[in-house]
Amino acid sequence: KNYCKKYATTVVVSILNKSNQGEIFYPVPSLNQQKSIVSFLNQKTAKIDQLIQKNKKLIKLLEEKRQAMITQATTEGLDPNVEMKDSGVKWIGKIPKDWKVKKLKYLVNSIFSNVDKKINEQETPVQLCNYIDVYKNDYIVNNIQFSGGTASLTETEKYKIKVDDVLVTKDSETPDDIAKPALVKEVSKDLICGYHLALLRPRKSTILSEYIFWLLMSRSFNQHFEISAKGITRYGLSISVFRDVKIPLPSVQEQKEVSVILESLSIKTSNLMAKLVKQNKKLEEYRQALISNAVTGKIKI
């Protein structure tokens, strides 16, 4: 396989032309040996493939379990025996009796950024937190490699990111992949919220940024934004969609308890999923090495 890669020529895709292919030397064992090798590899690779598929299914189940726990904790709370009431909001359903339902605009300041990646020499150099930084990370921290940009003094003040802000993707290529959140845990002084993002800044006396983050992570809440997204080839959310969405609101103390439980659960689940992904990578490497060694006579069948 590596030999073929070496002699592949690139036009639009890599191809192996007839002249190069005719020059390749292939190991040719006897027919009986070939049959033994094929039988051996069919058996071994089938077992490896089964393990890989089993791990993939487990990863999917873990993600579904995490989503179910997030949705349950942010809409029903942590006490399974608490008295419930109708929230009056279809996507929320029933909520604990002591919880309230409020529009997000009464709890956070919502800001839509228009700072793009263009460099203007008359503006101040800044670091830009862009769409991909939020989409790929649950938390914004200083070790993320942010891109450089420029912003006016007005933009620097308006879109400056602070610790405990919640950044949300407001645009996407598909409606089911929109409103992905990231919680700001660390920030440098010149980090600015970039284009395609909404910045949510909580009024801490009534709502915690951690709780907003977990609400946005819940599937039921995210489906509300999926339905509200507008577009054809690219979908977007208006600022009014963010401001007018109704959310279940427990006390600040219960928000803190929910957030602590969900963060602990998410860390454990993410670590387990990462181990399964790493295991699958090793299995795929072993599978390839097994095939290579078998067809070149490096192992005895």
Side-chain angles (χ1 to χ4, degrees), residues 96-153:
K97 185 181 177 180
D98 295 334
W99 288 25
K100 300 175 183 178
V101 175
K102 286 193 175 184
K103 287 187 177 182
L104 197 62
K105 64 183 177 182
Y106 300 123
L107 305 169
V108 307
N109 294 324
S110 305
I111 304 169
F112 272 26
S113 175
N114 59 3
V115 180
D116 57 31
K117 298 179 181 180
K118 294 179 182 178
I119 303 296
N120 188 331
E121 294 181 357
Q122 297 177 341
E123 294 179 336
T124 305
V126 295
Q127 291 187 86
L128 282 179
C129 181
N130 291 305
Y131 176 95
I132 199 70
D133 302 318
V134 173
Y135 186 85
K136 288 193 171 183
N137 298 285
D138 288 342
Y139 303 108
I140 300 299
V141 291
N142 286 334
N143 63 4
I144 295 174
Q145 297 297 312
F146 300 107
S147 62
T150 62
S152 66
L153 290 176

Side-chain angles (χ1 to χ4, degrees), residues 233-252:
T233 58
R234 189 169 184 84
Y235 295 82
L237 295 167
S238 66
I239 196 166
S240 62
V241 170
F242 281 97
R243 289 176 175 172
D244 292 336
V245 64
K246 293 180 179 179
I247 68 167
L249 187 67
S251 67
V252 171

